Amino acid sequence: MTDQLVRVYLPATVPMLARLPEHGLDATQAHAVTPALREWYAEGDEEELEYVAFTRAAQDALQLIRHDPAAPRRRVVVSADLPAAALDRGDGELGSSVVELRRPVPAAAVAAIHVDGVDAVPAVTAAANVVLEALAGDPDAQFTVDGAEDHELEWYDPSELEPLLRAAAFDQG
């Protein structure tokens, strides 16, 4: 019997994407539809649950951007399909979508890449500057983070990685 694949959403930055083909994504955590998320959002269908996990990965991408001053101010979420055996349960807290990754995510597991467009750069920049304050409960900071979430991330096939990286470097914004 083959191991069941689980869709995970990994927060990333543009520089992390540049390392993807050769090194994979060296992340320790991702987001997925977990039993704890299902229990918390019992009325949600599969698509809604996936959107929650995806959105949380996009929020985590803000923290990565904040900690990498050289990274373009664009949220990046990598969708990947990994064997269940490659994952450990996250914190188990009710509503949590966090899963622990046992090893780097290989480029071959990537199903899609999601990146903010140029028009989102000002909102993402502002949100990255205050994301920690928002996590600490500051309502003004949360309002700013919510402003970034008004921008939908653009979808790219993994085969479009090279042109995407060239465009992101050109549009540093």
Side-chain angles (χ1 to χ4, degrees):
M1 181 175 172
T2 60
D3 198 6
Q4 177 185 357
L5 292 179
V6 177
R7 173 66 51 100
V8 297
Y9 302 97
L10 297 110
T13 62
V14 172
M16 291 171 72
L17 285 180
R19 294 187 295 273
L20 176 63
E22 196 169 321
H23 303 288
L25 284 176
D26 192 18
T28 57
Q29 288 187 335
H31 291 271
V33 177
T34 63
L37 180 59
R38 282 185 198 286
E39 183 179 346
W40 172 75
Y41 193 27
E43 71 277 2
D45 64 22
E46 194 66 21
E47 188 173 321
E48 290 170 316
L49 292 167
E50 295 275 348
Y51 186 75
V52 169
F54 177 89
T55 301
R56 290 178 179 173
Q59 290 169 349
D60 285 356
L62 289 172
Q63 294 177 62
L64 295 174
I65 293 168
R66 179 180 177 131
H67 294 297
D68 184 354
R73 292 343 211 188
R74 297 184 188 199
R75 296 169 298 166
V76 175
V77 175
V78 176
S79 299
D81 295 321
L82 299 176
L87 308 174
D88 284 323
R89 295 184 85 170
D91 55 27
E93 195 173 304
L94 184 62
S96 177
S97 59
V98 172
V99 292
E100 302 292 330
L101 303 174
R102 293 184 177 175
R103 53 188 161 272
V105 175
V110 173
I113 301 166
H114 313 270
V115 181
D116 275 310
V118 173
D119 62 321
V121 169
V124 170
T125 300
N129 289 339
V130 299
V131 66
L132 296 180
E133 292 83 350
L135 290 169
D138 181 322
D140 292 332
Q142 187 59 53
F143 181 79
T144 302
V145 169
D146 291 346
E149 291 176 6
D150 289 342
H151 296 272
E152 293 291 326
L153 280 76
E154 298 172 356
W155 181 93
Y156 295 89
D157 184 88
S159 66
E160 298 176 285
L161 179 59
E162 287 305 318
L164 170 62
L165 289 171
R166 281 194 302 274
F170 181 74
D171 297 330
Q172 275 284 338

